[in-house]
Amino acid sequence: MKLQRKDVLGLEEMDVEEIRQILQTAKVMKGILMRPIKKLPTLKGKSVVNLFYEASTRTRTSFEMAAKVLGADTTSIAVAQSSVSKGESLYDTAKTIQAMRADLVILRHSSSGSASFLADILDAGVINAGDGQHEHPTQALLDIFTMEEKLGDLEGKNVVIVGDVLHSRVARSNAWGLRKLGVNVTLVGPPTLAPAEMGGLGVKLTHDLDSVLPGADVVMALRLQLERQKSGLFPSLREYSHLYGLTTERLKKTGKQSVVMHPGPMNRGVEISDEVADSAQALIERQVTNGVAIRMALIYLLIGGSANVVA
Amino acid sequence: MLWLKDVWVVDPSQKLSSPQSVLVKEGKILAISSSMSDEEVQFKAQGEAIETINGQGKFLFPGLIDVHTHLREPGQEDKEDILSGSRAAVRGGFTTILAMANTQPVIDKRALAEFVRLQGERAGYAHVLPIGTVTKGMQGEELVEMADMKEGGVVAFSDDGKNIQNSEVMRLALEYVKLTGLPIISHCEDKYLAGDGLMRRGTASGRMGLKGIPASAESVIVARDLILTEETGGKLHLAHISTAESVELIRRAKARGVNVTAEVNPHHLIFCDEDIHLTDTALKVNPPLASQEDRAALIEGLQDGTIDMIATDHAPHTQAEKARPFAEAPFGIASLETALSAVYQYLVLTGKLSWERVIEAWSHSPAKRFGLKGGTLKPGTSADMVLFDPGYKEVIEPSNLVSKARNTPFLGKTLQGFPVMVWVEGRLVQRNRMLL
Ligand SMILES: [Zn+2]
């Protein structure tokens, strides 16, 4: 079954059945990925364009690999986004891609809403690989997939997401997706990085990490953009790490063998200690593997047609 | 001679809102009366041919005055020019428009102000009156030659588009402007609080991941400018007020007798931040669309007189500029052609504002504050008038807009209630929505 949509732009607009269908398909894809020879003819002749306005080797590579395993042809366009007023506009680039008759475009862009903007112009499908601070649906889906793999049904589970939630598309997508699956989500960060307006996501918001750790099944640390310190959003890495850094000691407060996640790349010693990052609790490498499976599932569900990969 | 018969006249300058007959002769209002016999009219015509217009079911009011338009000429004629902007004005019911000074170059010298005025005269539609900048080059540092610029025809001074961040420069401007008797129009925005924000900070911005601009970015400067105006005894007009806090600050300042007036833009009365969608750059505007509570406070402030006038802040941009991701599109809504209809449909027909107050706030109030002709239908005054058909419906489409810009949130939508005849100095310039 294909998804009844042209694009995957965010989890806010996705319903729970669609999310389950994607997770189910990703399970099959992961099985394929674990085979010694991982190459399928499923999407032979289909073309996938990776359009990346922000450098992100890990996300781009993950999408490329996913497309290649499924047998699609991939092209990568890396656009240096030095200034919005310089160079070709996204509108013109979209027109060019339209003329190339690509089947699917993967977009990473620094502007919130850019993926919807592109999807409105293109006949081809669009997968949002991160648009500004808005959404990063494939990251959230791979996070959810990883949590389910480890914890089973997520309904009623407690997930704490800690860090710079204001500027985080990962936090937003996870909040939407997890909420739909019945998870209790808590966003944590200093008031400057987890301000009241984040209440619009309909999840719990707090500034005190230690008070929400008891009972947490999952603790996810977000990457801290170090340049936020210069804008005055937090005073020092030292204090940030002291209040919000994940350490072995702090994680004991959950009272259970909690799962630790991080979307990467990590600032070791800032939001997560070396010891935690390398512990058995941390599923960070598994997240990377699952990322390929999730992206395979999405590409297949959007442009796979009737070809039956599951057989 | 023109005889407008049985038309509902709304003229707050004369406290009129009732069926009247109106006579216009030699470009001026000759008479207004609720009872006018054929003989009387014949007598007043003194042999001149009489053109009779049956105004039944329609409104007649003074040509509207818009104190805040960006006509983009000189320098950005791809967005708009004085001809296209003044055509858009009369199509929308405006017979006088004030042209903001943030053109390229900015209007900081008398010669430039005279150019704008002349271009308006050459265009021959609405009266186009220039606003000069407050500071040279709009740099917020040195004052312009205010007295000389007044001689050149400017009716106010404003660095609109930017705020004068240096409070001492603002204080000096409010002192020096007393030489001219003209107001300083302040665009209230603290640039540090506003930062590179894209919409009002709130749950909608939080949800969409668009950088927020707090309400305080406006209100702290409103407070500052009110204090400076009180201290100097200068004359202040606050552009595009958008927050409840600003309304309250103005209300209290007026109670103390501070020489201040304020305007509100139609889009801040109609929309709020929750109406913004990530791909809809037509609603990207500065000051940003505020919360529902702010909108309610603005409507209340306008109705009770705390806010003196409505102004469009007509801000035309090209389609290419607006066809960008939200963060990259410029701020601004082109509104001269839709503003009056939108206000009528969304605020008057819904009972949120009285029609009389809307007309007052868009004609008599600006005329009084800026010392302009017009804004009234008193006998002897210039016949700048609008005949408004409350039943006229129009789909807002690129093909019928005469502005160069298309950046309106009403594109593709139907609005009801439009000016169907517009006169400037008694000369018919628009009939049945077509320019003459
Ligand atoms: Zn302004």
Side-chain angles (χ1 to χ4, degrees):
Chain A
M1 273 293 280
K2 278 182 79 176
L3 279 173
Q4 295 304 308
R5 55 169 63 243
K6 176 172 89 72
D7 316 293
V8 172
L9 304 174
L11 295 194
E12 182 182 5
E13 59 168 28
M14 208 172 259
D15 61 42
V16 72
E17 286 72 31
E18 288 178 295
I19 294 173
R20 291 203 194 286
Q21 188 189 353
I22 294 163
L23 296 172
Q24 197 56 44
T25 309
K27 218 178 266 180
V28 180
M29 293 300 174
K30 187 164 181 186
I32 292 163
L33 205 54
M34 293 305 177
R35 290 178 193 165
I37 297 165
K38 32 185 165 298
K39 184 85 182 171
L40 293 171
T42 316
L43 297 184
K44 208 166 173 351
K46 297 274 185 184
S47 63
V48 176
V49 173
N50 278 303
L51 180 57
F52 274 61
Y53 283 79
E54 282 182 337
S56 170
T57 311
R58 60 170 54 215
T59 306
R60 204 196 66 224
T61 312
S62 179
F63 270 107
E64 267 173 23
M65 186 159 177
K68 278 181 179 146
V69 173
L70 291 169
D73 297 321
T74 64
T75 312
S76 278
I77 307 174
V79 193
Q81 205 183 14
S82 51
S83 157
V84 291
S85 56
K86 282 181 208 153
E88 196 179 49
S89 72
L90 185 56
Y91 182 83
D92 289 333
T93 306
K95 291 289 181 194
T96 307
I97 290 173
Q98 178 81 320
M100 289 172 179
R101 309 208 162 273
D103 295 293
L104 186 66
V105 179
I106 317 296
L107 178 72
R108 161 67 65 94
H109 196 280
S110 61
S111 289
S112 298
S114 52
S116 309
F117 175 87
L118 188 69
D120 285 349
I121 299 170
L122 292 183
D123 294 331
V126 172
I127 295 178
N128 180 6
D131 64 328
Q133 296 162 5
H134 175 230
E135 284 229 38
H136 193 350
T138 61
Q139 178 69 43
L141 286 165
L142 77 86
D143 291 338
I144 293 168
F145 183 84
T146 306
M147 289 179 211
E148 262 194 3
E149 224 178 30
K150 192 76 182 173
L151 302 170
D153 186 11
L154 294 179
E155 189 164 353
K157 293 280 193 291
N158 301 307
V159 174
V160 171
I161 301 174
V162 55
D164 180 4
V165 297
L166 175 62
H167 300 100
S168 175
R169 53 195 173 208
V170 176
R172 282 184 179 79
S173 285
N174 264 293
W176 291 123
L178 289 166
R179 232 185 80 185
K180 289 177 192 201
L181 295 171
V183 176
N184 306 313
V185 182
T186 307
L187 301 177
V188 192
T192 45
L193 298 175
E197 65 252 38
M198 293 305 288
L201 296 174
V203 297
K204 208 176 145 199
L205 195 63
T206 175
H207 312 305
D208 182 0
L209 176 60
D210 291 337
S211 73
V212 292
L213 283 178
D217 298 286
V218 178
V219 183
M220 183 190 295
L222 299 170
R223 177 177 167 79
L224 186 70
Q225 300 287 333
L226 303 181
E227 60 271 19
R228 305 270 179 231
Q229 186 185 331
K230 286 203 198 77
S231 326
L233 287 158
F234 64 92
S236 69
L237 293 178
R238 177 175 168 270
E239 179 151 308
Y240 180 88
S241 172
H242 178 66
L243 293 171
Y244 301 103
L246 300 188
T247 59
T248 310
E249 200 55 37
R250 175 165 269 146
L251 284 166
K252 283 182 188 151
K253 295 185 180 166
T254 64
K256 50 171 93 168
Q257 192 59 19
S258 311
V259 167
V260 174
M261 299 176 77
H262 190 295
M266 292 180 280
N267 296 304
R268 286 169 176 261
V270 181
E271 66 260 9
I272 190 165
S273 72
D274 275 329
E275 204 186 347
V276 172
D278 300 328
S279 71
Q281 277 178 287
L283 302 182
I284 295 156
E285 278 161 41
R286 191 194 286 227
Q287 283 174 273
V288 176
T289 310
N290 290 345
V292 180
I294 280 287
R295 286 159 185 139
M296 284 172 71
L298 285 173
I299 295 170
Y300 169 72
L301 289 169
L302 287 179
I303 61 167
S306 52
N308 197 353
V309 72
V310 189
Chain B
M1 191 176 75
L2 180 66
W3 182 16
L4 280 140
K5 242 176 128 168
D6 301 325
V7 69
W8 190 287
V9 170
V10 181
D11 181 6
S13 77
Q14 306 182 71
K15 300 203 167 18
L16 272 182
S17 184
S18 53
Q20 304 282 339
S21 269
V22 180
L23 298 182
V24 177
K25 203 176 170 191
E26 287 159 2
K28 292 194 160 50
I29 309 285
L30 184 66
I32 295 192
S33 170
S34 55
S35 57
M36 206 180 279
S37 65
D38 286 12
E39 295 72 33
E40 219 175 316
V41 174
Q42 290 290 349
F43 175 75
K44 290 213 160 109
Q46 292 178 314
E48 211 177 281
I50 299 167
E51 189 197 342
T52 309
I53 294 170
N54 182 356
Q56 216 153 32
K58 299 190 178 71
F59 295 105
L60 186 80
F61 44 80
L64 301 186
I65 297 173
D66 200 293
V67 301
H68 197 146
T69 68
H70 295 274
L71 302 181
R72 308 297 190 204
E73 185 181 355
Q76 294 177 301
E77 290 86 351
D78 52 336
K79 295 175 191 261
E80 192 81 288
D81 58 31
I82 290 172
L83 176 61
S84 65
S86 59
R87 283 165 62 89
V90 294
R91 200 160 173 276
F94 301 94
T95 55
T96 298
I97 50 177
L98 272 54
M100 269 303 170
N102 63 338
T103 47
Q104 292 174 359
V106 299
I107 309 303
D108 60 356
K109 289 182 185 68
R110 175 176 178 168
L112 288 159
E114 301 231 17
F115 168 78
V116 170
R117 197 164 50 80
L118 263 174
Q119 283 295 80
E121 283 170 19
R122 288 186 191 113
Y125 287 94
H127 304 288
V128 177
L129 304 174
I131 295 170
T133 60
V134 177
T135 62
K136 289 174 191 156
M138 251 177 77
Q139 294 299 303
E141 291 160 10
E142 286 176 50
L143 301 183
V144 297
E145 296 169 329
M146 289 184 177
D148 194 37
M149 289 188 72
K150 185 189 177 186
E151 289 297 311
V154 308
V155 296
F157 298 95
S158 182
D159 279 6
D160 183 61
K162 267 195 200 170
N163 179 261
I164 297 170
Q165 296 287 302
N166 184 328
S167 302
E168 172 63 358
V169 173
M170 186 64 180
R171 191 189 69 79
L172 291 170
L174 285 160
E175 284 282 10
Y176 194 83
V177 81
K178 289 191 273 183
L179 281 178
T180 67
L182 301 178
I184 300 274
I185 303 176
S186 179
H187 162 118
C188 297
E189 180 181 19
D190 181 297
K191 73 171 184 186
Y192 300 104
L193 285 170
D196 50 2
L198 301 167
M199 65 176 289
R200 170 58 82 75
R201 176 184 293 170
T203 51
S205 74
R207 208 180 61 237
M208 289 189 278
L210 290 174
K211 192 162 189 295
I213 300 171
S216 55
E218 170 180 302
S219 309
V220 298
I221 300 293
V222 168
R224 179 199 75 172
D225 288 354
L226 289 170
I227 290 166
L228 292 174
T229 303
E230 190 164 19
E231 186 177 282
T232 57
K235 189 171 175 182
L236 177 69
H237 175 75
L238 298 166
H240 42 56
I241 287 306
S242 73
T243 78
E245 295 90 333
S246 298
V247 174
E248 192 44 38
L249 286 163
I250 296 163
R251 190 174 281 132
R252 279 190 260 155
K254 283 189 164 182
R256 293 196 306 274
V258 179
N259 190 353
V260 61
T261 49
E263 82 195 23
V264 62
N265 303 147
H267 42 265
H268 290 123
L269 298 170
I270 295 170
F271 301 108
C272 64
D273 60 347
E274 299 286 341
D275 296 318
I276 295 172
H277 297 286
L278 268 174
T279 50
D280 186 8
T281 59
L283 287 178
K284 183 179 175 187
V285 66
N286 192 28
L289 298 177
S291 69
Q292 291 191 43
E293 293 74 31
D294 288 306
R295 180 172 57 180
L298 293 170
I299 292 171
E300 191 195 340
L302 178 59
Q303 188 65 45
D304 75 16
T306 302
I307 295 174
D308 302 82
M309 54 194 97
I310 311 175
T312 59
D313 195 2
H314 176 72
H317 293 292
T318 66
Q319 283 124 287
E321 289 168 317
K322 278 290 194 178
R324 290 178 188 164
F326 202 90
E328 299 166 22
F331 290 97
I333 295 174
S335 48
L336 277 171
E337 287 176 82
T338 52
L340 175 62
S341 301
V343 167
Y344 180 72
Q345 179 171 327
Y346 286 86
L347 298 161
V348 176
L349 287 183
T350 55
K352 291 178 181 145
L353 281 173
S354 76
W355 192 213
E356 290 77 12
R357 178 62 190 140
V358 167
I359 304 301
E360 179 181 40
W362 236 335
S363 61
H364 188 49
S365 291
K368 261 194 315 190
R369 183 57 169 176
F370 291 87
L372 312 173
K373 286 190 280 182
T376 178
L377 298 176
K378 277 188 188 137
T381 60
S382 216
D384 292 352
M385 318 184 291
V386 173
L387 187 71
F388 183 91
D389 181 348
Y392 193 100
K393 284 188 184 168
E394 188 172 293
V395 185
I396 308 305
E397 286 176 318
S399 60
N400 54 29
L401 293 172
V402 299
S403 164
K404 289 186 183 180
R406 309 279 175 263
N407 53 307
T408 157
F410 300 107
L411 205 64
K413 301 204 169 88
T414 302
L415 290 178
Q416 183 188 332
F418 279 94
V420 290
M421 292 180 103
V422 176
W423 295 264
V424 173
E425 293 176 349
R427 188 166 50 90
L428 191 62
V429 290
Q430 189 251 86
R431 183 171 52 209
N432 291 332
R433 314 288 303 127
M434 305 302 283
L435 292 165
L436 302 174

